[in-house]
Amino acid sequence: MVLTRGDEFPLHQAPEPIAYSGTDRNFYDRYFFNGYAPDGSGFFALAFGIYPHLDIADAHLSFIRGSTQYCLHASCELGMERLELRVGPIAIEVIEPLHQLRVTIDETNGIAGEFTFTGRAFPIEEPRFTHRIGPRALLDYTRMTQNGRYQGWLEVDGVREEMASGTCGTRDRSWGVRPIGARDPQPTPGNPIPSFFWQWTPINFEHGSLFFHVNADVEGKAWNRRAAWAADGAAIDELVEGDGLLSFSMQDGTRWPAGGSLAVDALGAPASLEFEPIGRFQMKGLGYTHPTWGHGHHRGPLDVEREDIDLAAIDATAMENRHVQMLCKVTGDAEGMGVFEQLAVGPYAPLGLKLP
């Protein structure tokens, strides 16, 4: 047994020290943040993941200036201490649980920053994500999501920019089972063609927050979908659950969304919305589908690397570039700003998508 600082808190979910999380080697615990100014400039995002059974943690900061997406990747050995919320230069401090957090990035390879996230309402809890391929659980996790406001700054190569007044965005916390680290090379007998379809559209309006997501199978049938509305200051019993239907188009020659229309059925939420993309963020900047900085890979006691992505020069068809968040101006029954995230892997009949 290994005792850690976490054992001082009443957080245990099993008759074992906090250092252990069940028995699935793919268990993870993750923080995610994104943000943008009211005019759509200054997009930034951060991901911070802990993988207890792999005894690894990693963190990624990525932000856009001009046509370049600047990234700072970091990975370390965890030492079974799950409350050490630092990976090299990137650290998270929980100021007020479920409401306010601070992120600091010590100057490394020309990149630095600090920002504080303050929630606009109590976080929503999304329906549990459970998805199997034959007998094997590919996904089994819970996620809470919250829109909020930011204060802080980011710096690259000595040029510091303060976050504009009114900078908003979204953060989430998810934990459970996802594929992480080295992949299992053994196929599942009778396994269908691998596929995954995901869309997520968290939106900030002047007086509230709207959330919609959908996971669908190869035929387009949703296996996890929900809309939710949170008025500013809403407590847990004032959050409104509902449903939605998203119609969208694709950019030619890509698997990126070109815009869409969202119909929402949730009390108090705007019922009809249009998405107009004004910017593109590559999720590989946070490790998602990254060819060398994927989540949960062992890179030694500590490894840190900067990466600059030329957004105009990437190959849109490459697997590593398919996962995107499109920053969108949102109009219709209300005006706001948000992201349209999409990842389409493998075949998807409604769009005529096939392998690869």
Side-chain angles (χ1 to χ4, degrees), residues 46-97:
L46 183 135
F48 189 114
I50 291 173
Y51 317 101
H53 288 279
L54 304 183
D55 208 20
I56 292 168
D58 53 35
H60 311 260
L61 169 73
S62 191
F63 59 96
I64 296 172
R65 288 192 182 172
S67 62
T68 301
Q69 184 172 325
Y70 297 95
C71 314
L72 186 64
H73 307 289
S75 173
C76 73
E77 294 175 351
L78 185 62
M80 300 182 76
E81 181 52 81
R82 297 176 65 188
L83 290 187
E84 183 64 42
L85 298 181
R86 172 176 288 276
V87 180
I90 301 174
I92 295 177
E93 176 188 359
V94 179
I95 299 172
E96 182 181 343

Side-chain angles (χ1 to χ4, degrees), residues 7-342:
D7 293 300
E8 191 65 59
F9 299 89
L11 303 173
H12 298 85
Q13 299 291 313
E16 293 182 306
I18 284 290
Y20 304 101
S21 299
T23 57
D24 195 313
R25 57 91 68 190
N26 284 326
F27 190 91
Y28 79 101
D29 217 325
R30 177 174 303 283
Y31 295 83
F32 170 87
F33 301 84
N34 72 15
Y36 39 83
D39 64 358
S41 63
F43 191 97
F44 65 94
L46 183 135
F48 189 114
I50 291 173
Y51 317 101
H53 288 279
L54 304 183
D55 208 20
I56 292 168
D58 53 35
H60 311 260
L61 169 73
S62 191
F63 59 96
I64 296 172
R65 288 192 182 172
S67 62
T68 301
Q69 184 172 325
Y70 297 95
C71 314
L72 186 64
H73 307 289
S75 173
C76 73
E77 294 175 351
L78 185 62
M80 300 182 76
E81 181 52 81
R82 297 176 65 188
L83 290 187
E84 183 64 42
L85 298 181
R86 172 176 288 276
V87 180
I90 301 174
I92 295 177
E93 176 188 359
V94 179
I95 299 172
E96 182 181 343
L98 305 182
H99 181 62
Q100 190 172 71
L101 301 93
R102 179 181 295 118
V103 175
T104 57
I105 306 97
D106 298 335
E107 194 284 324
T108 305
N109 298 339
I111 293 177
E114 180 179 309
F115 57 83
T116 299
F117 171 94
T118 303
R120 301 181 62 179
F122 196 86
I124 68 164
E125 179 184 342
E126 297 171 349
R128 183 168 172 173
F129 293 80
T130 304
H131 187 58
R132 296 182 181 274
I133 298 180
R136 188 179 304 180
L138 178 71
L139 304 171
D140 187 9
Y141 65 90
T142 292
R143 189 169 81 159
M144 70 178 189
T145 305
Q146 183 179 39
N147 279 1
R149 298 182 174 91
Y150 288 96
Q151 291 182 313
W153 55 272
L154 292 169
E155 179 178 303
V156 60
D157 298 332
V159 180
R160 178 181 295 199
E161 290 188 1
E162 299 287 336
M163 293 181 183
S165 175
T167 294
C168 288
T170 304
R171 72 110 175 184
D172 71 47
R173 283 279 292 111
S174 64
W175 58 91
V177 174
R178 284 183 180 177
I180 56 172
R183 298 297 185 255
D184 186 348
Q186 179 168 320
T188 302
N191 179 32
I193 297 173
S195 67
F196 184 79
F197 186 82
W198 162 252
Q199 292 176 322
W200 183 46
T201 61
I203 309 167
N204 278 281
F205 295 104
E206 183 178 2
H207 299 297
S209 302
L210 180 66
F211 308 91
F212 172 78
H213 74 265
V214 61
N215 272 126
D217 63 20
V218 294
E219 299 302 324
K221 181 180 178 181
W223 57 266
N224 193 311
R225 184 181 69 196
R226 194 182 68 172
W229 171 253
D232 269 9
I236 186 171
D237 58 349
E238 296 172 315
L239 302 175
V240 178
E241 298 185 9
D243 202 356
L245 185 63
L246 180 61
S247 303
F248 63 99
S249 58
M250 303 276 281
Q251 296 185 28
D252 291 343
T254 78
R255 294 196 178 202
W256 302 337
S261 301
L262 178 62
V264 179
D265 182 11
L267 184 64
S272 180
L273 298 167
E274 300 291 329
F275 293 88
E276 177 190 349
I278 59 175
R280 168 173 46 86
F281 179 86
Q282 297 295 147
M283 290 293 282
K284 74 175 180 181
L286 302 178
Y288 295 89
T289 69
H290 197 289
T292 59
W293 275 97
H295 298 151
H297 290 274
H298 184 245
R299 303 181 66 93
L302 177 64
D303 192 14
V304 181
E305 183 178 22
R306 171 175 165 171
E307 178 183 21
D308 296 353
I309 302 172
D310 183 348
L311 292 171
I314 66 171
D315 177 4
T317 65
M319 181 66 72
E320 68 191 73
N321 294 323
R322 293 182 180 180
H323 193 182
V324 295
Q325 286 194 350
M326 309 297 291
L327 181 61
C328 292
K329 179 181 179 181
V330 181
T331 57
D333 289 342
E335 294 188 357
M337 190 77 69
V339 300
F340 187 150
E341 180 179 337
Q342 183 166 293

